[in-house]
């Protein structure tokens, strides 16, 4: 599942290769890929035709292409295996090519949505006055957003009376932090994932957010993390940040700070990786 840094890498690729180009036609090769567009594949293709793509935008893990001079945007759901590729026209169709978008210019490339498992897809939505697709208007800003409010996050998180990892994954408080980066940031902050948010002081929250941003920026700097060979960014290159993870996926390996073997615990149908010495469990279970 791509996380914020991977999605931002894709967004940057789209900004470079797709922004400000006008759609000549869109071809849906598998109706499942546009199933979230209720009016169907033909309507989807028809509505894209003739429109110029604006600057690709992102909030958390959500990525969309605004259509200029309309109140609509194409929202991309990458799901587990979705890829947005910019390919020369002559490149043979990928085995799992689902949607193809051609442009009116002579640049010789097209946008392709490829998805082996078809959990992802593209859909067209009305946009809010802020330019967000209406279906994601309730999603909180992400920590890399310059308008993210640290103080408001701290207060809202404490008010929720939840635990710290649940708070980090709560899209109404903060978006774009997935399981991997939550474990990484908690390890850096020496916080156990079950720590009640009510016990976090302002400086502790500030420190945690700093680690969340550091982890994400480090991943961005190397082009995103890849745990799934299916994940490829817009230029067809996979990330390699996974080699520098400190917590996620390191069960039984020595903590990089204190050498204690790292642990893994089942957590909300996923796993939490932590150092039992650096990240002490809370004394009172919430
Ligand atoms: Zn440790």
């Amino acid at each position: 599942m791509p996380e914020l840094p991977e999605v931002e890498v894709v967004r940057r690729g789209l900004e470079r290769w797709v922004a400000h180009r006008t759609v000549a036609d869109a071809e849906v090769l598998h109706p499942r890929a546009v199933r979230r567009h209720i009016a169907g594949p033909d309507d989807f293709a028809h509505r894209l035709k003739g429109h110029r793509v604006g600057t690709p935008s992102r909030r958390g893990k959500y990525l969309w292409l605004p259509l200029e001079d309309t109140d609509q945007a194409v929202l991309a759901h990458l799901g587990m295996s979705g890829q947005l590729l910019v390919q020369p026209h002559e490149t043979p169709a990928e085995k799992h090519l689902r949607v193809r978008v051609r442009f009116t210019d002579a640049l010789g490339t097209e946008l392709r949505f490829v998805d082996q498992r078809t959990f992802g897809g593209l859909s067209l939505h009305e946009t809010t006055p802020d330019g967000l697709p209406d279906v994601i208007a309730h999603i909180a800003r992400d920590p890399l957003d310059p308008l993210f409010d640290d103080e408001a996050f701290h207060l809202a998180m404490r008010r929720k009376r939840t635990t710290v990892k649940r708070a980090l994954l709560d899209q109404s408080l903060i978006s774009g932090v997935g399981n991997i980066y939550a474990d990484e940031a908690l390890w850096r902050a020496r916080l156990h994932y079950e720590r009640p948010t009510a016990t976090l002081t302002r400086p502790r929250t500030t420190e945690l957010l700093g680690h969340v941003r550091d982890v994400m920026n480090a991943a961005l700097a190397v082009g995103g993390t890849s745990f799934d060979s299916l994940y490829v960014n817009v230029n067809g290159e996979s990330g390699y940040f996974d080699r520098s993870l400190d917590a996620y996926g390191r069960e039984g390996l020595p903590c990089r700070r204190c050498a204690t073997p790292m642990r893994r615990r089942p957590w909300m149908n996923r796993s939490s990786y932590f150092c039992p010495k650096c990240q002490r469990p809370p004394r009172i279970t919430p």
Side-chain angles (χ1 to χ4, degrees), residues 28 31 34-47 124:
V28 178
V34 296
R35 69 191 175 284
R36 293 179 185 87
H37 185 77
I38 308 301
D42 292 345
D43 184 78
F44 177 84
H46 177 73
R47 284 176 190 274
L124 204 57

Side-chain angles (χ1 to χ4, degrees), residues 187 255 257-260 275 277-278:
W187 181 84
C255 168
R257 245 183 334 240
C258 73
T260 303
C275 169
K277 191 173 171 203
C278 298

Side-chain angles (χ1 to χ4, degrees), residues 4-5 142-144 153 168 174-178 181-182 184-186 188-189 205-218:
L4 185 155
D142 64 65
L144 298 186
F153 170 74
L168 286 177
I174 182 171
S175 65
V177 186
Y181 295 107
E184 291 300 304
L186 289 168
R188 289 185 183 208
T205 303
T206 304
E207 188 197 340
L208 175 60
L209 285 172
H211 287 303
V212 168
R213 292 185 176 111
D214 285 351
V215 167
M216 287 182 168
N217 282 320

Side-chain angles (χ1 to χ4, degrees), residues 60-82:
K61 300 177 210 175
Y62 293 90
L63 172 70
W64 67 94
L65 302 173
L67 296 180
E68 289 180 355
D69 305 316
T70 75
D71 300 324
Q72 301 208 303
V74 178
L75 187 60
H77 309 258
L78 299 176
M80 299 295 285
S81 55

